[in-house]
Amino acid sequence: MKRLDQFLSQLKYGSRSEVEKMIKQECVTVNGIIAKTGRQKINPLECQVHVNGQKVFYKEPIDIILYKPQGYISSNKDEKYPSVINLIKEPYDRFDFKIAGRLDWDTEGLLILTTDGKLVQKITHPNKKIPKVYEVKLDKLYQEETINQLLKGVEIKDGKNEPYLAKALNLEYNQEYIYITIDEGKFHQVKRMFLSISYEVIKLKRIKIGHLDLSDLRIGEYKEFNRNDIF
Ligand code: URA
């Protein structure tokens, strides 16, 4: 159970006092009855709340898969680039999302946003070993033998500049791209793995996390997904 004023201000309808004002002006109904006070307790998952005649969208948890474009950062704020959070529109933009496994500003592809911190842990914790597949374009022609070294493991620096043995779980090739599967998520891991064997990654796209892929999403689009599709 939650206080009505707290519920609405958490959903960014205004500060507590602004919400209280809306209630005084009889703009808010709970199950069709005009609310008299913000102190009223509601069960957000069961009550129908309307503000100015519009139904309040509420759900928990909310899990979203986003096809991140290049040029966006995966944290909430940065001076130089907009955040992926800016791509999220009504009604989801009323919620505070956490990002499960960041991508660099110039990497595109599959990003998971969730209101549930426990899901972030489940996806990003190193012990969970969730495979992620990246599509990689390199700066020059490559030899499969050289790239195959990544299956044995290469030493890279992790986010703290400590040496780390990074291994590819699988590699696939076509003329243009290499598809690498890893189940870790060190800082710039894919780029650093290729750099360790003298290739520069010029285009990077995450195409899968667990069993979840970008299937019918276009760049910049997002949708809710079923979390069982990851594991
Ligand atoms: N590896 C990288 O180097 N960058 C990413 O954005 C993701 C994985």
Side-chain angles (χ1 to χ4, degrees):
M1 297 292 272
K2 224 177 213 168
R3 276 176 61 136
L4 180 61
D5 53 0
Q6 188 191 8
F7 170 68
L8 289 174
S9 69
Q10 273 173 358
L11 288 177
K12 308 186 174 84
Y13 279 91
S15 63
R16 286 272 189 107
S17 61
E18 284 163 346
V19 167
E20 197 57 53
K21 213 185 266 171
M22 284 161 52
I23 292 171
K24 288 270 145 17
Q25 289 166 349
E26 303 197 333
C27 300
V28 181
T29 61
V30 178
N31 295 334
I33 297 165
I34 294 172
K36 292 278 174 254
T37 164
R39 290 191 304 276
Q40 177 179 350
K41 291 263 175 73
I42 61 157
N43 178 342
L45 291 171
E46 284 174 10
C47 290
Q48 299 252 357
V49 179
H50 285 76
V51 174
N52 295 321
Q54 296 229 311
K55 189 168 182 289
V56 173
F57 173 81
Y58 186 78
K59 227 176 168 185
E60 65 180 44
I62 302 178
D63 302 328
I64 281 182
I65 167 178
L66 166 74
Y67 187 162
K68 175 194 174 298
Q70 284 192 330
Y72 284 80
I73 49 130
S74 311
S75 54
N76 286 14
K77 264 202 186 91
D78 187 276
E79 254 109 74
K80 211 162 151 201
Y81 297 106
S83 162
V84 290
I85 300 293
N86 297 351
L87 295 166
I88 307 298
K89 308 288 181 228
E90 272 268 16
Y92 299 107
D93 59 349
R94 296 189 173 275
F95 296 82
D96 291 320
F97 286 101
K98 297 159 192 68
I99 297 169
R102 296 176 175 195
L103 292 175
D104 299 334
W105 74 271
D106 57 351
T107 301
E108 59 179 49
L110 199 164
L111 203 62
I112 291 175
L113 282 72
T114 174
T115 54
D116 177 12
K118 287 201 199 98
L119 183 66
V120 176
Q121 274 290 310
K122 273 196 195 156
I123 294 170
T124 58
H125 197 281
N127 293 345
K128 302 289 178 192
K129 301 249 171 259
I130 299 192
K132 295 154 202 107
V133 184
Y134 292 86
E135 181 187 83
V136 179
K137 192 171 183 155
L138 297 179
D139 60 330
K140 52 181 181 271
L141 285 175
Y142 57 86
Q143 288 184 316
E144 285 190 24
E145 283 151 56
T146 320
I147 306 288
N148 281 341
Q149 289 177 56
L150 300 179
L151 291 167
K152 292 195 202 106
V154 287
E155 194 177 287
I156 60 167
K157 295 275 170 61
D158 67 10
K160 293 183 190 131
N161 251 358
E162 303 284 339
Y164 181 82
L165 186 75
K167 254 188 193 175
L169 298 178
N170 189 40
L171 288 170
E172 284 171 32
Y173 309 88
N174 65 26
Q175 287 227 309
E176 205 174 350
Y177 297 110
I178 298 168
Y179 296 89
I180 178 171
T181 307
I182 55 174
D183 63 5
E184 307 146 319
K186 299 288 178 200
F187 190 54
H188 299 323
Q189 177 159 345
V190 175
K191 291 175 186 165
R192 287 181 172 187
M193 286 174 79
F194 281 94
L195 262 188
S196 77
I197 49 169
S198 304
Y199 291 96
E200 196 189 330
V201 171
I202 56 167
K203 190 150 188 245
L204 187 59
K205 177 169 157 186
R206 181 157 64 197
I207 58 171
K208 244 179 149 184
I209 296 182
H211 298 291
L212 202 63
D213 62 28
L214 288 166
S215 43
D216 51 350
L217 284 179
R218 280 178 300 186
I219 205 153
E221 286 185 341
Y222 55 86
K223 64 174 184 187
E224 286 190 57
F225 70 94
N226 182 342
R227 56 174 70 185
N228 297 326
D229 291 344
I230 304 178
F231 305 105

